[in-house]
Amino acid sequence: MAASRIYRGALRCYPASFRRRYGDDLVAAFEELCADRGVRVAWWRTVLDLIVTVPAYRLESIMSEHRATLTLSAVTVTLALAGVATLAVGAWPISVVLIAVALVILVSQRSALARSLRPGGPNRRRRHLLVGAVVAVAVFACLVAAYLSDIGDERVGNGALMVYNVVGLLSLLSAVVLTVVGLRTHDQTSPATPG
Amino acid sequence: MSSPSVESHLPLSQAQFHVLAALAEGELHGYAIMQLVEEGSGGVVRMGPATLYGTLKRLVDAGLAEESDRRPVDDDQRRRYYRLTGLGQRVCMAEADRLEALVRRTRRNLRPGMA
């Protein structure tokens, strides 16, 4: 059947592990859908399915597979080293952005690893919000340190000041919002309040 | 009162709850789950194959569903059947209770005299 051959080809868009585990089942379900509802309806539903699930499963695979974890670690170390190198030559705004991106990747990667090793607790959302607030405060602190070091330096242009202002404002706002929302999220380990 | 391990799986995503609710009817293969989900939602939720198997993968990895060895004699032996685990049953029930309480409260708030 031509339709199922095309669908089997389209399955190559999914991560290899998902394809190996469910490839035949996916094709079988698609063929049953074609037989039951007609090829046009089956394709309509399946194309939408591909559009939604391929990016999601790819991202999931990047965040969980060992090989991808090594790649992400390499990217994080490279960004951090580039940040330190640019710091050494005095390009503060670029180094702050590079280190901030490395920090965000590192925290996301560690969180994904921790999630895969530990069953989620009742306070998962609260914990994530507060960790996000700590990261935002760290980014803000880096920016303030960089700004104080650069202030008065004539070589620092308006573009760099704009980066300081925008990233600083965003990180400060994020820190405040994440802290407030995190603290307002119900602590499920504490006894429930009546009413 | 649910145990902490049940609580940690809540709330379920819409797809996960629909698949667990379908499996509450018995051991089913993939396409039968797709059909039951569509029927059970009055045709509103129409899953594609990858959404279904992605959801099944998450449920199996979380220990809420498992592959079954048994299948009808006259059925295609390559077909894989799935069933709820004990934890899956408890999580599905807890999610149904949670949604029921939410629906009750919403009805009460929207139609105060008809609670």
Side-chain angles (χ1 to χ4, degrees):
Chain A
M1 188 174 160
S4 63
R5 273 205 304 277
I6 296 170
Y7 182 57
R8 193 177 281 281
L11 293 184
R12 298 190 72 79
C13 300
Y14 289 108
S17 58
F18 182 68
R19 234 169 36 228
R20 271 195 303 272
R21 189 164 165 189
Y22 294 111
D24 291 338
D25 296 305
L26 288 164
V27 174
F30 175 73
E31 285 175 349
E32 284 182 277
L33 194 59
C34 287
D36 211 18
R37 305 287 170 88
V39 175
R40 185 182 292 186
V41 173
W43 268 123
W44 177 241
R45 194 185 290 190
T46 306
V47 166
L48 287 176
D49 192 43
L50 283 164
I51 291 169
V52 172
T53 55
V54 166
Y57 296 176
R58 279 277 168 198
L59 189 63
E60 207 172 279
S61 163
I62 286 170
M63 296 303 287
S64 63
E65 284 179 7
H66 178 66
R67 189 173 53 117
T69 305
L70 286 178
T71 310
L72 266 184
S73 299
V75 169
T76 310
V77 170
T78 309
L79 282 171
L81 288 176
V84 172
T86 48
L87 193 66
V89 297
W92 275 98
I94 298 172
S95 84
V96 166
V97 171
L98 289 173
I99 291 173
V101 171
L103 197 63
V104 168
I105 294 176
L106 183 71
V107 170
S108 309
Q109 190 190 8
R110 293 297 99 184
S111 306
L113 183 65
R115 268 201 306 278
S116 67
L117 295 174
R118 177 188 62 206
N123 285 325
R124 196 170 41 186
R125 180 176 150 78
R126 182 185 163 91
R127 199 168 50 237
H128 286 176
L129 288 165
L130 293 176
V131 167
V134 170
V135 171
V137 168
V139 171
F140 183 71
C142 288
L143 271 171
V144 170
Y147 181 77
L148 290 177
S149 165
D150 270 2
I151 199 164
D153 188 339
E154 289 173 358
R155 289 172 302 175
V156 178
N158 287 336
L161 291 176
M162 181 69 85
V163 171
Y164 283 138
N165 286 331
V166 172
V167 180
L169 187 65
L170 285 176
S171 58
L172 187 61
L173 278 175
S174 308
V176 172
V177 170
L178 290 168
T179 305
V180 170
V181 177
L183 292 177
R184 283 177 62 88
T185 303
H186 179 56
D187 184 351
Q188 295 185 30
T189 54
S190 64
T193 49
Chain B
M1 183 78 183
S2 314
S3 66
S5 64
V6 170
E7 290 289 341
S8 68
H9 290 91
L10 301 182
L12 295 172
S13 71
Q14 189 195 45
Q16 287 175 331
F17 183 59
H18 276 287
V19 171
L20 287 183
L23 289 174
E25 299 206 11
E27 298 183 11
L28 297 167
H29 58 78
Y31 188 65
I33 298 173
M34 278 168 70
Q35 285 177 310
L36 264 183
V37 167
E38 191 172 340
E39 275 174 39
S41 65
V44 174
V45 179
R46 294 174 188 170
M47 281 185 169
T51 302
L52 170 72
Y53 281 100
T55 306
L56 274 173
K57 176 180 178 291
R58 284 196 191 90
L59 294 174
V60 170
D61 290 348
L64 304 184
E66 63 188 2
E67 253 185 70
S68 164
D69 309 327
R70 288 181 295 175
R71 53 182 48 71
V73 187
D74 56 342
D75 199 4
D76 185 345
Q77 293 302 301
R78 289 171 304 177
R79 260 183 174 165
R80 282 197 272 194
Y81 277 70
Y82 294 89
R83 66 181 168 211
L84 288 181
T85 60
L87 176 64
Q89 287 176 15
R90 291 198 299 279
V91 168
C92 189
M93 182 58 84
E95 180 71 347
D97 289 345
R98 191 184 71 81
L99 292 174
E100 193 180 14
L102 179 66
V103 168
R104 251 202 322 265
R105 194 169 58 197
T106 307
R107 284 213 171 107
R108 198 172 52 230
N109 290 338
L110 292 177
R111 293 183 287 185
M114 301 174 71

